[in-house]
Amino acid sequence: MKHAFAWLTALALAIPQISTAESPTMSQDQQDVLNAIQTMTSNFQANDIAGVMASFETEATVVFEPGSLVSDAAQLEQMFAGMAAVNPVFEYAGHEVIVNGDIAVHIAPWSMTGKTPDGQELVQSGLSIAVLRRQPDGSWKMVIDNPHGGRLLTQDQ
């Protein structure tokens, strides 16, 4: 694990296209990627499922549960609508955006609170890892969205 941390630290220092949201050195591409993520999150919290779906490419893959990939647009829409029923409120502990040409990775620790339809409090958290692609119109859309990327860190090695 120490080697992985050292490698990631060295990589972060070597690649100029890595930035956090608070950094004044964020490129326009990085800001556009972050805006795409923030727009999707806002739409999700507002129960605007059409807006959420517009944040994804047509054949995107989302990991709603660890190990459970969904790539069918109709099923994605249904899953997002079901999740929106808990009136989720998301908070991010920070953002890291890596851009290489027309591909980007967004990494962010998140927490979410909500209430189930029967009134039970719901609290979840994780590490979101999303891959985005620049579209022909210059916008960014998600191709892969894995909000459970941190699960591997807690598994026994």
Side-chain angles (χ1 to χ4, degrees):
M1 190 69 161
K2 286 182 187 179
H3 297 293
F5 179 74
W7 180 82
L8 286 173
T9 302
L11 183 63
L13 295 173
I15 299 175
Q17 286 290 304
I18 295 178
S19 182
T20 60
E22 297 75 31
S23 172
T25 61
M26 184 174 268
S27 72
Q28 186 61 53
D29 282 343
Q30 290 169 309
Q31 188 60 54
D32 291 346
V33 168
L34 181 58
N35 289 343
I37 297 294
Q38 291 172 329
T39 297
M40 189 281 295
T41 303
S42 295
N43 286 335
F44 191 44
Q45 291 180 153
N47 202 6
D48 177 2
I49 303 307
V52 170
M53 294 300 294
S55 299
F56 290 88
E57 286 192 358
T58 305
E59 296 185 17
T61 297
V62 178
V63 182
F64 285 102
E65 296 290 331
S68 177
L69 309 176
V70 178
S71 297
D72 177 74
Q75 190 176 1
L76 286 174
E77 189 171 347
Q78 182 180 19
M79 296 292 285
F80 279 121
M83 291 173 55
V86 302
N87 297 312
V89 176
F90 286 92
E91 291 187 24
Y92 292 100
H95 300 270
E96 185 167 67
V97 176
I98 305 165
V99 177
N100 185 347
D102 290 339
I103 303 294
V105 175
H106 172 263
I107 304 167
W110 60 271
S111 62
M112 185 272 300
T113 58
K115 282 192 178 182
T116 62
D118 64 357
Q120 291 182 358
E121 293 288 327
L122 182 63
V123 178
Q124 294 182 346
S125 63
L127 178 67
S128 173
I129 301 172
V131 177
L132 296 89
R133 182 176 9 236
R134 186 188 328 259
Q135 303 301 296
D137 66 0
S139 67
W140 291 87
K141 290 192 177 190
M142 281 184 269
V143 180
I144 300 170
D145 183 14
N146 182 1
H148 306 287
R151 75 179 177 85
L152 296 175
L153 297 174
T154 58
Q155 290 183 352
D156 291 331
Q157 300 296 326

